[in-house]
Amino acid sequence: MDIVYVYADTPEEWNCSEWRCAIPARAINKTAGNRAQLVWIEDFSLNRPQARAACTTADLIVVQRNLFGRVLQAISYWQAQGKAVIADFDDAYDLLPETVGAHYFWRRALTPQPGPNGQITWRKLPFDPLVEFKRGLRLVHATTVPSKQLAADWQDVTDVHIVPNYLDLEKYIFVQRRPHEGIILGWGGSVSHLDSFTGSGIFRALARIVAVHKEVRVLICGSDTRIFDQLPLPPEHKIYQPFVPFARWPQVLASFDIGLAPLHGAYDQRRSWIKALEYMAMKIPWVGTQGAPYHDLAAYGWLVPNDPAAWEHALRTIIDHLEEYRARAALEPYLQGLMLSVDVNVDRILATYEDIILAAQRRPRHKRKPAAAHSADRVGQ
């Protein structure tokens, strides 16, 4: 099977494309008789030579997230060439809260423009991204998502298949714990998690904990300083770690003694299990919010309702018995993390793709007939 992943992330924001494209592609390329290639979405939309060469031999083209504009025309073109084309996304764009920057693009059709004195102004887009996105989901042969809740949300629009986020274990299992003083409660993430902290009750819980446990510090990692700034702790009890490239992230994780995984609201309930899974692979005890994202991993961590007292109780219990919880994390949670590696599950991914290809052949979106040449000029019209 020959698969092309059309990835959407730029190098500066590289994360989702690692999980949804690069990790499965590396695993597929280790299997016999299969090949996976990565193509940037702009090259795909403009039918540049490297994208055209990859797609010409593909059995399946997986297009990540940006289903609008020229991308939809490129999808139609390759479908007309007899290719099975699917969409892949991992976020609830229709539920983005205002605290997430992408809210303005997806839900208000606005794009930022630099103004005088560094001020940002907003320009209305000539299209509605969500309308285009839904049109794209109806256009493709099928869609893959990592979350059961996302699958349920979109099953009436497209043929949805669940392909979970799996770990590239080599990035984690050879990383050694980083020694440090005290106990570090750690979290890392993108700019879309502020509500996870402000709405979950964890802020109040952490304030109560450090008032009693002077040895505890809270480490906030990532590019969203708002979480760190609003963390109601004395300066000596909180640490900020700026964004690091994906390859360096496991080294940062190695300094966590306890992992945090708060969630809040409908948007967060569509997230995947990544945080809990990474903690398990690193043998880190963890506490997360009850709900869909971590439900299947509940036996390997501690899930709590979004109540400050519940967060405080769980975290203080682990702090007071840290060595015992570390020993537990190194047993079943760690072994289950190994079983959720991409190399163990690559056959499941390929089986899903094979089912989609067969269904596309039985029920093609377009009649199989020669299509007009797809070029940058034509796509832009």
Side-chain angles (χ1 to χ4, degrees):
M1 191 184 307
D2 194 325
I3 300 153
V4 170
Y5 287 97
V6 179
Y7 65 88
D9 283 359
T10 62
E12 295 76 21
E13 63 182 351
W14 189 262
N15 185 271
C16 291
S17 292
E18 177 73 17
W19 288 99
R20 303 305 297 167
C21 302
I23 288 176
R26 289 196 295 270
I28 289 167
N29 283 329
K30 296 176 187 177
T31 64
N34 301 295
R35 181 176 70 156
Q37 300 179 75
L38 298 177
V39 169
W40 186 31
I41 199 162
E42 184 170 330
D43 294 335
F44 173 75
S45 69
L46 296 175
N47 202 30
R48 288 172 176 155
Q50 59 269 43
R52 183 167 61 252
C55 293
T56 296
T57 60
D59 299 302
L60 179 71
I61 301 171
V62 183
V63 182
Q64 187 186 28
R65 164 172 101 229
N66 292 348
L67 305 180
F68 40 76
R70 290 188 175 98
V71 173
L72 299 187
Q73 296 179 34
I75 289 171
S76 294
Y77 170 78
W78 287 110
Q79 285 181 320
Q81 307 310 304
K83 306 298 181 181
V85 184
I86 69 174
D88 181 272
F89 67 96
D90 63 352
D91 223 343
Y93 308 116
D94 56 325
L95 297 174
L96 281 163
E98 290 190 23
T99 54
V100 179
H103 166 93
Y104 294 92
F105 175 83
W106 285 103
R107 300 190 64 183
R108 298 193 187 183
L110 297 173
T111 184
Q113 298 291 309
N117 302 319
Q119 295 179 340
I120 297 295
T121 60
W122 295 92
R123 179 176 63 85
K124 191 71 172 178
L125 292 167
F127 63 94
D128 186 320
L130 267 180
V131 171
E132 291 276 278
F133 180 74
K134 293 174 184 177
R135 186 159 71 91
L137 292 182
R138 294 186 179 96
L139 177 65
V140 294
H141 291 105
T143 299
T144 52
V145 297
S147 151
K148 292 178 182 178
Q149 192 61 54
L150 275 180
D153 288 349
W154 295 96
Q155 62 183 351
D156 293 335
V157 177
T158 183
D159 177 25
V160 190
H161 299 254
I162 298 173
V163 175
N165 286 321
Y166 293 117
L167 290 172
D168 183 352
L169 275 182
E170 293 181 0
K171 307 295 184 185
Y172 301 89
I173 59 175
F174 300 115
V175 178
Q176 300 296 315
R177 285 192 66 243
R178 295 171 62 180
H180 54 263
E181 295 183 0
I183 296 174
I184 291 180
L185 312 186
W187 177 92
S190 67
V191 294
S192 66
H193 293 266
L194 180 60
D195 288 359
S196 308
F197 279 81
T198 59
S200 64
I202 193 172
F203 272 171
R204 290 172 60 189
L206 292 174
R208 294 171 184 171
I209 287 168
V210 302
V212 176
H213 292 274
K214 303 301 183 183
E215 76 279 20
V216 168
R217 292 175 294 165
V218 177
L219 173 60
I220 300 296
C221 312
S223 53
D224 192 349
T225 59
R226 296 174 301 172
I227 296 171
F228 178 80
D229 293 339
Q230 295 185 35
L231 197 60
L233 305 179
E236 64 271 19
H237 283 283
K238 60 182 184 177
I239 309 166
Y240 176 63
Q241 166 64 60
F243 172 84
V244 298
F246 191 91
R248 289 182 50 202
W249 171 238
Q251 298 171 27
V252 178
L253 271 174
S255 64
F256 290 19
D257 294 301
I258 302 171
L260 306 176
L263 302 169
H264 172 72
Y267 172 68
D268 274 1
Q269 287 300 319
R270 275 76 182 167
R271 293 188 186 275
S272 77
W273 60 16
I274 285 176
K275 284 183 173 50
L277 196 55
E278 287 188 318
Y279 295 150
M280 291 161 58
M282 295 289 290
K283 305 178 184 178
I284 300 169
W286 58 277
V287 181
T289 296
Q290 291 175 350
Y294 307 128
H295 175 78
D296 291 341
L297 303 179
Y300 310 108
W302 192 330
L303 297 185
V304 298
N306 276 344
D307 174 75
W311 277 101
E312 181 182 3
H313 171 69
L315 290 171
R316 289 189 65 175
T317 300
I318 298 176
I319 290 167
D320 291 339
H321 305 279
L322 184 55
E323 291 306 318
E324 177 184 342
Y325 277 90
R326 275 181 180 154
R328 291 183 186 179
L331 298 175
E332 285 189 37
Y334 175 65
L335 294 176
Q336 183 61 26
L338 299 184
M339 293 305 297
L340 293 174
S341 73
V342 69
D343 291 318
V344 171
N345 291 279
V346 66
D347 287 344
R348 293 175 180 267
I349 298 173
L350 289 170
T352 298
Y353 290 165
E354 185 174 355
D355 288 345
I356 291 171
I357 292 170
L358 291 174
Q361 292 170 348
R362 291 193 299 268
R363 296 178 285 104
R365 285 285 192 245
H366 297 285
K367 294 180 180 179
R368 302 308 185 204
K369 62 182 180 180
H374 171 51
S375 68
D377 291 338
R378 291 187 58 86
V379 170
Q381 294 175 358

